[in-house]
Amino acid sequence: MKLNFKKIGTGKPLIILHGLFGSADNWFSISKELKDNFTLYLVDQRNHGDSPQSDEWNYEVMVEDLKELMDNEGLAKAFLMGHSMGGKTAMNFALKYPEKVEKLIVADIAPRYYAVHHQSILDGLNALDLTEIQSRKEADDELANYVPEIGVRQFLLKSLGRDSDGFMWKINLPVITEKINEVGKALPDGKSFSGPTLFLAGSNSSYIQQSDLEDIDAFFPNNEVEFITDAGHWLHAEQPDAVVEEIKRFLKQV
């Protein structure tokens, strides 16, 4: 699949993959702090943002989407970073195509299996009748019945777009709802990536725990794990300066 992406900056290529319900735009403010050091590829993964939608949605096909992007752009090797679902895509890619990854950064996700924990979000998104919604505020008010956190709602509603008929989702909500179990799948056993790998964890997040370190060592033996102070799962939105500093430090572009 030919993915949509934004390309900005100058320097070695750094590909960034967003998380579930997100888009390339989630990383735009971070990219402004990195564009003097890297050529950034901010990617919409399939069924998200402005990339094509498909009934096929799992890490195997998302890995191949990324390889196609690199091949089309003539990128033999790149720095690769992913957050949450994007981190799982990035990890799977590094296991399958290690020769194409110079260094790997994984933001707030571990290699293990995660049980489905987005059901209230999916219930809320599916409950919105877009044929009746007249404004974003109205959508926000409706979604608040399912998602009380205003920051999470603001993030989710970034995927609410408009076309000539009114509001529409830029995510493939039916497929994501049907196949949500795919997001939490563990990395396949039997492979490892020996390249330099940085795991960034939010200190207030439960996504990466001490019990995950053994798994991380097994799949990514050349790793370091850094906890970002006062950050939850969306660490790049909550502590952008600290995340930028860690990216530059690890990629030796300070």
Side-chain angles (χ1 to χ4, degrees), residues 91-103:
M91 286 189 281
N92 276 283
F93 185 88
L95 294 183
K96 185 167 185 180
Y97 299 109
E99 72 283 356
K100 299 186 77 65
V101 181
E102 188 162 345
K103 290 185 177 182

Side-chain angles (χ1 to χ4, degrees), residues 35-243:
K35 63 184 177 62
D36 292 336
N37 302 98
F38 306 96
T39 299
L40 291 140
Y41 291 81
L42 308 179
V43 180
D44 286 331
Q45 298 191 86
R46 69 165 57 201
N47 290 332
H48 291 74
D50 293 321
S51 281
Q53 298 194 354
S54 170
D55 289 341
E56 196 173 13
W57 187 58
N58 54 55
Y59 288 117
E60 289 79 11
V61 294
M62 288 192 278
V63 162
E64 295 308 315
D65 292 344
L66 179 55
K67 182 177 184 295
E68 182 178 335
L69 185 154
M70 291 185 71
D71 289 346
N72 289 343
E73 288 295 300
L75 299 176
K77 203 167 194 176
F79 297 134
L80 179 59
M81 177 173 184
H83 170 245
S84 198
M85 179 188 78
K88 277 280 182 77
T89 303
M91 286 189 281
N92 276 283
F93 185 88
L95 294 183
K96 185 167 185 180
Y97 299 109
E99 72 283 356
K100 299 186 77 65
V101 181
E102 188 162 345
K103 290 185 177 182
L104 175 66
I105 302 177
V106 179
D108 213 50
I109 198 77
R112 63 176 163 90
Y113 166 76
Y114 289 78
V116 173
H117 54 281
H118 299 291
Q119 197 56 53
S120 62
I121 288 176
L122 287 170
D123 290 344
L125 297 179
N126 281 290
L128 291 180
D129 184 351
L130 299 189
T131 64
E132 298 294 332
I133 295 293
Q134 299 297 314
S135 68
R136 287 184 174 275
K137 184 182 184 308
E138 191 176 328
D140 183 63
D141 290 343
E142 292 285 337
L143 192 57
N145 294 317
Y146 298 85
V147 184
E149 304 88 354
I150 186 170
V152 177
R153 294 200 308 276
Q154 288 173 339
F155 163 74
L156 293 168
L157 290 174
K158 287 180 179 178
S159 291
L160 188 62
R162 273 186 182 273
D163 59 19
S164 57
D165 297 321
F167 285 108
M168 42 79 72
W169 288 116
K170 297 175 78 172
I171 55 173
N172 189 340
L173 186 56
V175 168
I176 290 173
T177 302
E178 178 190 351
K179 300 186 176 180
I180 190 63
N181 283 305
E182 294 292 334
V183 177
K185 284 192 173 178
L187 266 60
D189 290 330
K191 291 184 178 180
S192 64
F193 172 69
S194 61
T197 304
L198 171 65
F199 282 80
L200 293 177
S203 65
N204 299 333
S205 171
S206 61
Y207 275 72
I208 295 182
Q209 304 174 6
Q210 289 297 316
S211 56
D212 292 317
L213 300 185
E214 184 177 344
D215 238 8
I216 289 172
D217 286 342
F219 283 104
F220 305 97
N222 186 9
N223 79 77
E224 54 183 283
V225 180
E226 296 290 339
F227 284 83
I228 303 296
T229 304
D230 295 327
H233 184 55
W234 284 277
L235 63 179
H236 53 296
E238 297 172 41
Q239 297 294 338
D241 292 344
V243 169

